[in-house]
Amino acid sequence: MATLPLRHGCDDHWTWNRRDRSHEVRLYGPELRVAHFHPDWSCGTAGVRGTRVLNNGRYYWELCISQRIFGTSMMFGIGTRRARLHVDLFRNLLGEDEHGWGLSHKGLLWHSGRWTHYTKPFRENEATTVGVLFDGIAGTLTYYKDGTCLGVAFKGLNEVREPLYPIICSTAAKTEMTLALMKRDFVNLQDRCRAVILKQVRSQSQLDKLALPQRIKAYLSEPLADTIQPFQPVNTYVNSV
C-alpha cells in the first residue's frame, strides 16, 4: 500500500460545481459531493467540473466509484474551462483535445485526442477508489487505485497558463462518483496557521462571531466551502453541445 500523499498537509474544501456540469449529472449528498450520471438512461457522455483551481499548488483527492463500473468510458482527471462537459456521443470526453487530461476505467490515458496504456482495466461492477495527485510545482498528475500508486501519468502541467480544475465524466447510466478525501499542501506559514484555526472554526457563521479585523476574517474564510443549496436544475448554467 502506498503512503497517503500530502499526509502532512491539511484538509481541502471544494466540491462539484452545480453551475458547471452536464444536464445529465445530478449532484446531491453533503456539500453536493456525490455526482450521479445519466439518472434515467444514457445517450451520450456527461461531465462535471470541480470548484478547486489547481495551478501552482499540490492537491490530492479521492473518488469513491460505485460498483456500476461499465460502459464506453468513465473518466477522472483535470481540465480547463474549455474542456467540454457534455456530448451526445459515447466517447472519451476528458482528453479529447488539448484542454483535458484524463484516465478512463479501461486503463487508458487521454490527452489531445490521443491515448496510451497506463494500467490494467478496472474490473466491471466492482467498487473502487481512485486517488488523484496534482503537483503544480513539478507539473505532474499521478493516479492511485485503492491506495496503490500507479505512477506519474502526465507531465508539463506547470506550463499550462489557463486555470485547471478537477473533472469527472461518464457514458454509463446510473453511475456514481463521490468526492471523498481531499488534502492540499501548505503554501506558507500563514497558510499553516489558518489551517489550525479552521480546525476549530468550521463555518462562516462561527467565523463571523470572532472579534477580528475584516481583512483577517476574509483570509480565514477563503478555504471554507460555500453554502450549498439542494439540487435544482439550472439550465441557464448547464454546459451543452
Side-chain angles (χ1 to χ4, degrees):
M1 297 291 287
T3 302
L4 178 68
L6 304 185
R7 64 189 185 281
H8 297 305
C10 64
D11 292 339
D12 200 9
H13 303 274
W14 57 274
T15 188
W16 303 119
N17 194 332
R18 65 186 185 275
R19 292 184 172 88
D20 207 3
R21 56 177 171 80
S22 162
H23 62 278
E24 282 293 301
V25 176
R26 302 291 186 265
L27 302 176
Y28 69 95
E31 298 182 342
L32 300 186
R33 292 183 180 179
V34 182
H36 185 86
F37 299 87
H38 311 287
D40 298 315
W41 59 83
S42 176
C43 58
T45 311
V48 60
R49 211 176 332 262
T51 57
R52 162 60 67 198
V53 177
L54 299 167
N55 306 60
N56 303 316
R58 293 189 178 99
Y59 301 91
Y60 176 76
W61 62 97
E62 289 185 346
L63 302 165
C64 295
I65 317 299
S66 70
Q67 65 180 11
R68 288 179 62 84
I69 298 178
F70 67 101
T72 301
S73 183
M74 297 175 67
M75 303 194 76
F76 340 94
I78 64 173
T80 71
R81 292 191 65 86
R82 291 197 279 175
R84 294 198 295 177
L85 298 179
H86 184 87
V87 62
D88 291 328
L89 296 169
F90 298 116
R91 65 180 303 160
N92 295 281
L93 190 59
L94 185 55
E96 65 171 354
D97 54 27
E98 69 274 20
H99 305 303
W101 296 257
L103 167 66
S104 80
H105 77 286
K106 294 185 177 179
L108 306 177
L109 296 175
W110 283 85
H111 176 60
S112 291
R114 299 179 179 179
W115 60 268
T116 184
H117 286 287
Y118 177 65
T119 188
K120 295 179 181 179
F122 294 11
R123 290 188 177 183
E124 293 195 352
N125 301 311
E126 184 176 302
T128 190
T129 298
V130 174
V132 187
L133 174 62
F134 176 87
D135 188 333
I137 310 303
T140 59
L141 190 69
T142 302
Y143 290 97
Y144 293 71
K145 186 176 185 299
D146 295 324
T148 299
C149 180
L150 302 179
V152 173
F154 298 104
K155 298 180 179 180
L157 297 170
N158 53 322
E159 299 176 2
V160 178
R161 294 295 173 255
E162 295 182 64
L164 292 167
Y165 303 84
I167 296 178
I168 51 176
C169 56
S170 176
T171 62
K174 301 178 181 179
T175 48
E176 282 191 355
M177 304 187 201
T178 301
L179 183 59
L181 178 70
M182 292 176 285
K183 305 288 288 186
R184 67 176 180 86
D185 206 357
F186 293 111
V187 176
N188 50 33
L189 180 59
Q190 185 181 38
D191 186 29
R192 187 180 293 268
C193 292
R194 176 173 62 180
V196 173
I197 294 172
L198 291 181
K199 286 183 178 180
Q200 304 299 322
V201 181
R202 296 181 175 273
S203 68
Q204 186 65 48
S205 60
Q206 290 179 322
L207 180 59
D208 290 339
K209 294 177 182 178
L210 299 180
L212 295 172
Q214 189 57 41
R215 178 175 291 185
I216 294 179
K217 284 186 178 181
Y219 176 73
L220 291 174
S221 68
E222 287 177 1
L224 294 176
D226 293 336
T227 301
I228 301 298
Q229 301 298 326
F231 169 77
Q232 294 290 337
V234 188
N235 292 332
T236 303
Y237 298 105
V238 170
N239 282 18
S240 60
V241 179

